[in-house]
Amino acid sequence: MLEVLLGALVFLLLVYLITGVRVVRQGYVYTIERLGKFTLAAEPGLHLIVPFVDRVGQKVNMMEQVLDIPGQEIITRDNAMVGVDAVVFFQVLDAGKAAYEVHNLYMAIMAITTTNLRTVMGSMDLDETLSKRDEINARLLGVVDHATSPWGLKITRVEIKDIRPPIDISEAMARQMKAERLKRAEILEAEGERASRILRAEGEKASAILSAEGKKEAAFRDAEARERSAEAEAKATQMVSGAIAESGNQAINYFIAQEYTKAIGKFATSPNAKTILFPIEATQLAGTLGGIGELARAVLGEDAKGGVATPLQLDGDNRAKVPVTGRK
């Protein structure tokens, strides 16, 4: 009988010890209640409690958590109905407050986030709600974090996932965007056309300027050439006048004979005929050739030594034949 009692006592002792040992997992904090009153927040690890006196109240998740806010229909300040989805990131900092300061922590966070979301977005126009998401997130974060701080929470982030405007407004916005893009395309095309015309006009202007400068330079050089030619001709005329003034009729006859000889040479070298006949008065021809002979004898001093050019022989029709020269 004594052995049975000892065995029962050992069994009860083991049960007592087993029920008094609690292991808290990492990332969690257990609240310990003694006779129904919160007394301890058990950190991760091994803990011993008094069986039948202490018990684990709530197992509080201390990791950062994500709470999905269901879609909400919100009326903006300009009476547009939009659908909004959001998410809230939070972390429990005080397990005792999170367990005993609010009932159903997740429902409370969802409710306070929803109401503040309607307040913030309801005070804005549709265009502002679509273009100022960062501002909406910042305002929601400040309001919700301040409201949940008594619960031992820290709201780390509040994000708007999606904003769904009405279908007719979406279609109008699509048409507006298309018109805006067409407007930008036309503006860019017009600016390109304008730039092209400006560049083309500048090129034509530069070409006209260069052409005018070229014509100016050409005219200047042509005038300079004519000026130099006139100076040379004037100088030659001056020299001829000086020679005439010094030599008298002999210089005149010399120049006339030189030009006459050149003219005769051109007729003789003509490719049209081997024999050239041209009418000329015999007396004029004889006088001209005689003057040439006198001039040649006076200039060259060959009246007895050198050959003398004979006058042209005339036929019965007063046509001159090719002159014949000879030397004695």
Side-chain angles (χ1 to χ4, degrees):
M1 187 66 181
L2 182 60
E3 294 178 355
V4 174
L5 291 176
L6 290 176
L9 290 175
V10 171
F11 176 76
L12 291 175
L13 180 61
L14 290 176
V15 172
Y16 182 83
L17 293 175
I18 291 174
T19 55
V21 175
R22 290 291 184 269
V23 177
V24 181
R25 292 183 299 168
Q26 183 67 37
Y28 286 83
V29 170
Y30 293 176
T31 60
I32 306 300
E33 298 176 357
R34 176 167 294 176
L35 300 177
K37 181 180 179 181
F38 169 71
T39 59
L40 176 67
E43 299 291 336
L46 179 64
H47 295 271
L48 295 176
I49 62 175
V50 179
F52 309 111
V53 176
D54 296 338
R55 73 180 186 88
V56 176
Q58 294 188 23
K59 300 177 180 179
V60 182
N61 189 344
M62 304 298 290
M63 296 179 289
E64 186 173 3
Q65 303 175 62
V66 180
L67 182 62
D68 191 7
I69 306 300
Q72 304 292 320
E73 296 294 332
I74 300 175
I75 300 177
T76 61
R77 186 171 60 184
D78 52 354
N79 298 323
M81 182 73 70
V82 295
V84 181
D85 295 332
V87 291
V88 178
F89 296 81
F90 69 95
Q91 186 176 12
V92 177
L93 300 180
D94 191 332
K97 291 182 179 181
Y100 300 105
E101 293 293 335
V102 61
H103 177 68
N104 197 340
L105 178 64
Y106 299 104
M107 185 63 68
I109 296 174
M110 186 181 300
I112 197 169
T113 303
T114 302
T115 55
N116 283 280
L117 180 64
R118 291 177 180 273
T119 301
V120 171
M121 296 191 65
S123 64
M124 304 174 69
D125 294 334
L126 177 62
D127 293 338
E128 293 178 342
T129 59
L130 296 176
S131 60
K132 296 182 179 180
R133 291 195 180 190
D134 292 339
E135 181 179 345
I136 296 173
N137 295 335
R139 292 176 61 181
L140 280 175
L141 177 61
V143 173
V144 176
D145 184 55
H146 178 72
T148 57
S149 59
W151 304 340
L153 303 180
K154 175 62 179 176
I155 305 299
T156 57
R157 297 181 67 182
V158 178
E159 295 289 340
I160 301 298
K161 289 198 305 182
D162 186 24
I163 299 177
R164 300 179 301 276
I167 298 177
D168 54 346
I169 295 180
S170 299
E171 293 177 353
M173 292 171 61
R175 291 195 299 269
Q176 180 182 3
M177 181 182 65
K178 182 178 179 180
E180 184 68 22
R181 293 184 180 275
L182 290 176
K183 175 184 176 182
R184 292 180 181 178
E186 291 178 356
I187 291 174
L188 291 176
E189 184 178 358
E191 289 179 352
E193 183 75 16
R194 175 175 173 269
S196 175
R197 290 182 179 179
I198 290 174
L199 292 176
R200 190 180 297 112
E202 289 179 352
E204 293 177 354
K205 176 184 176 182
S207 176
I209 291 173
L210 292 176
S211 177
E213 290 179 353
K215 291 180 180 180
K216 176 182 177 182
E217 184 68 19
F220 176 76
R221 293 183 180 275
D222 184 54
E224 186 178 12
R226 290 199 302 270
E227 181 180 358
R228 292 182 179 179
S229 177
E231 290 177 356
E233 186 175 356
K235 187 174 181 181
T237 303
Q238 184 178 4
M239 294 176 66
V240 170
S241 300
I244 293 173
E246 292 178 0
S247 302
N249 295 330
Q250 293 181 356
I252 296 175
N253 292 332
Y254 173 74
F255 288 118
I256 293 174
Q258 185 179 17
E259 296 298 326
Y260 183 80
T261 305
K262 291 180 180 179
I264 294 298
K266 290 181 180 179
F267 279 111
T269 58
S270 176
N272 295 328
K274 298 296 183 180
T275 302
I276 302 173
L277 300 177
F278 54 91
I280 192 171
E281 295 295 331
T283 57
Q284 294 178 357
L285 180 59
T288 302
L289 294 178
I292 293 173
E294 292 294 335
L295 179 60
R297 282 194 297 272
V299 174
L300 300 176
E302 296 179 352
D303 51 340
K305 297 179 181 181
V308 179
T310 60
L312 293 174
Q313 297 179 0
L314 302 176
D315 56 9
D317 296 332
N318 291 332
R319 295 180 181 275
K321 297 182 180 180
V322 178
V324 180
T325 59
R327 181 179 298 273
K328 294 182 181 180

